[in-house]
Amino acid sequence: MLILPKHEKQIDWSFSYINQPINSEWATIVSGDRKKVTLVDRNFSPKYEYQLPDEISCLAISPKGDLLAAIMANGNHLAIMTAENQLVFEEQLPNPPVKYFLDNENGFQDCWFDADGLRFWCMKLIEFKEVEIQIRDTNSWQIQRKLRLKDPIGGYSTFSFHPHPENQILALWAACGQNGQQIYWLYDDGTTIHAVEVPCLYDTSPPQFHPAGDEFLVIDSSERQLSRFSFPECNLMGICEWPWPDSDDGFDYSMCYLSDDRVLINTNEGLMYLIDLNKMEISDQLILIGHEPRSCKELYPTLKDLKEEVCGDLNYFYRFDSDRILSVHSQILTQEPDSKQKTLVIFGGKELFGSLATVQESAPYSKLFIQSLGIS
């Protein structure tokens, strides 16, 4: 399937998207020195600019876009800023400086604003052995509740939040490279933070939830298998196997539901494929005009030891709103794949999207999960 991009923009900065719900209006662009954040709307028009005092490791935007939470100094510094660049809260840890974010054994790991704007979730690693989940009130920024979890993989894991569409449950993903990954469901009942380990989700990617919240997708650690599960029961609904066993390519973590029965996913080599969820198999390749696949040697001529395979300039993509996708591409043929120079592309249309159930106000799937905890 050939798709003509609706809008393109070249930037000389790095790009970071905040994983808001499907109806989010915001994305963020982070400057090359990782100290300035520009909040842009769906047309890439600037809304707010935040200037931070140190390099950003992780950030989160409030639902209205008027507050930015940033983890800086490789995990040693948490700060909350207003759109007028006023500091409203900060906490600096008394840790020795480390060169890399992943080297900090006692640092902040991730943060997230609840959709209601009243709670701020944060997590802090403790001696590479435990992670402390914190919930702070957004008026006082004081910790209201917290929970400690042992590292499920034995130490040195990194942790990240991945929200369920009904905005009542967060997935917590623990990852330790080739040593394994584990997923928990987190729920705050206003008194206690509950954490439920999901046994069937060991050695997988973070969950990609259907916009209605009744199912999710994960990729296994070999990146050759895409699995579909129900939520909250976690019953296996199907498996899509990578169809080319002799290829070095495989499924990558960018994916989104285009309809109730079709998914778009990227690959390690920068290609995009459509998955038929009824058959759980690849049904077509999606190609953006102007970003057609090429020989890997042609696309990245400065890299050595490349095989004679086809690849694309795609880095990753995100569902931007109900009928558009935002993709990030390498900008020029001669650059390294991790260059900060990028091209942002928005694409979509009726030929790509289909009927897609949306989240219900009554949050039925979260209620099922909460009932399983024995909470009325």
Side-chain angles (χ1 to χ4, degrees), residues 230-249:
S230 65
F231 182 87
E233 303 90 350
C234 292
N235 294 326
L236 181 63
M237 302 170 67
I239 295 175
C240 176
E241 301 282 356
W242 180 254
W244 301 287
D246 295 332
S247 168
D248 287 343
D249 204 357

